[in-house]
Amino acid sequence: ERAVSEAQRNALPPCRTMTAGVLSSLCRSNAAILSQKLALIDSLIARHGPVVARDKFTLVCPIAGASIGQHFRHSMDHVELAALVAVEAAHPSNGRIIGEVSSTTGEVDQQLRTPEIHYDLRVRGGTLERDVDESRKRIVSVAKVFDDLSTAVATGSEEGVGDLPVWTNFFLSADERGETALKSTIARELGFAAHHAIHHMAMVKIIATHSVGLSEDDLPENFGKAPSTVKYGSTLE
């Protein structure tokens, strides 16, 4: 891998400190996706009734090779982890304190322990992908986390949370025995969670319109579309 020259490094734009506005946007983006998930569940129930909707939620689409429940569970795993780490960073506990004043020296200990996210250590096949009611409860619960975080950001009590570091861990290859750790920030992972969820929503749209009897009119506007796609589409109108 070619090293970056000093001239190239100096040409790179400086890193920006995370503003409250950016963190609020990240919270709104994730909350909007969660709202769309709830709207789809409501559409399933409205179209088929609560009993049949439970079956449709777990029906495996032959095109996508998965069910709505599986895609919801998988994307919620990522969103929930990012949200909970953000809250933990804002309200540290269990010894994980950033910027704590030392009781012995009176000086600030900058970091005791950086939080970790293990995206690939998840439970498959459980009730969160098989039970539409439990899936709804989970979505509502995580939406409440983003709502509380947005309120805290708006009052100025969580300034700087987005810049706090976090270790993210992935299995990058099926041949590797262990995870690979990558250093990131709270804001970066909230952005990743939203971006990741949108692509799964695109798959859910295929399942909804091809296998479970919903039409595009049953879905929220721009369901499963990335913001960049929506923006591009607006230029063609």
Side-chain angles (χ1 to χ4, degrees), residues 152-168:
V153 170
T155 61
S157 60
E158 309 303 349
E159 186 176 356
V161 167
D163 287 319
L164 295 178
V166 57
W167 284 104
T168 60

Side-chain angles (χ1 to χ4, degrees), residues 38-78:
L38 292 175
L40 184 136
I41 291 176
D42 290 341
S43 293
L44 272 180
I45 294 173
R47 173 73 67 176
H48 300 294
V51 176
V52 175
R54 293 188 183 99
D55 295 331
K56 297 293 186 181
F57 189 71
T58 59
L59 180 68
V60 174
C61 170
I63 299 174
S67 66
I68 292 175
Q70 288 172 325
H71 278 285
F72 271 23
R73 188 273 306 158
H74 173 75
S75 58
M76 284 302 299
D77 286 346
H78 287 61

Side-chain angles (χ1 to χ4, degrees), residues 39-229:
L40 184 136
I41 291 176
D42 290 341
S43 293
L44 272 180
I45 294 173
R47 173 73 67 176
H48 300 294
V51 176
V52 175
R54 293 188 183 99
D55 295 331
K56 297 293 186 181
F57 189 71
T58 59
L59 180 68
V60 174
C61 170
I63 299 174
S67 66
I68 292 175
Q70 288 172 325
H71 278 285
F72 271 23
R73 188 273 306 158
H74 173 75
S75 58
M76 284 302 299
D77 286 346
H78 287 61
V79 173
E80 186 176 58
L81 284 172
L84 293 179
V85 166
V87 170
E88 172 66 8
H91 306 285
S93 60
N94 299 325
R96 188 213 156 273
I97 303 175
I98 294 180
E100 181 186 38
V101 177
S102 170
S103 59
T104 56
T105 66
E107 297 179 353
V108 175
D109 296 328
Q110 290 300 317
Q111 182 174 307
L112 296 184
R113 181 169 67 84
T114 300
E116 297 182 4
I117 296 178
H118 297 266
Y119 284 119
D120 293 332
L121 300 181
R122 51 186 185 264
V123 178
R124 297 173 171 86
T127 56
L128 292 175
E129 68 181 51
R130 292 187 288 104
D131 188 322
V132 67
D133 296 323
E134 290 301 314
S135 181
R136 174 191 282 278
K137 290 178 184 177
R138 185 189 196 188
I139 296 168
V140 170
S141 176
V142 176
K144 179 66 165 55
V145 172
F146 281 113
D147 184 56
D148 291 345
L149 187 58
S150 294
T151 300
V153 170
T155 61
S157 60
E158 309 303 349
E159 186 176 356
V161 167
D163 287 319
L164 295 178
V166 57
W167 284 104
T168 60
N169 297 268
F170 302 88
F171 287 108
L172 298 182
S173 170
D175 298 328
E176 296 180 3
R177 298 185 63 181
E179 300 169 283
T180 297
L182 304 172
K183 196 166 188 179
S184 185
T185 65
I186 297 295
R188 174 65 184 84
E189 293 315 301
L190 290 174
F192 164 69
H195 194 267
H196 173 261
I198 288 171
H199 289 283
H200 280 278
M201 297 287 271
M203 296 300 294
V204 167
K205 183 177 181 179
I206 293 173
I207 300 170
T209 56
H210 287 79
S211 293
V212 303
L214 296 182
S215 68
E216 289 203 30
D217 291 337
D218 294 317
L219 305 178
E221 184 180 9
N222 297 322
F223 188 94
K225 288 186 178 180
S228 59
T229 303

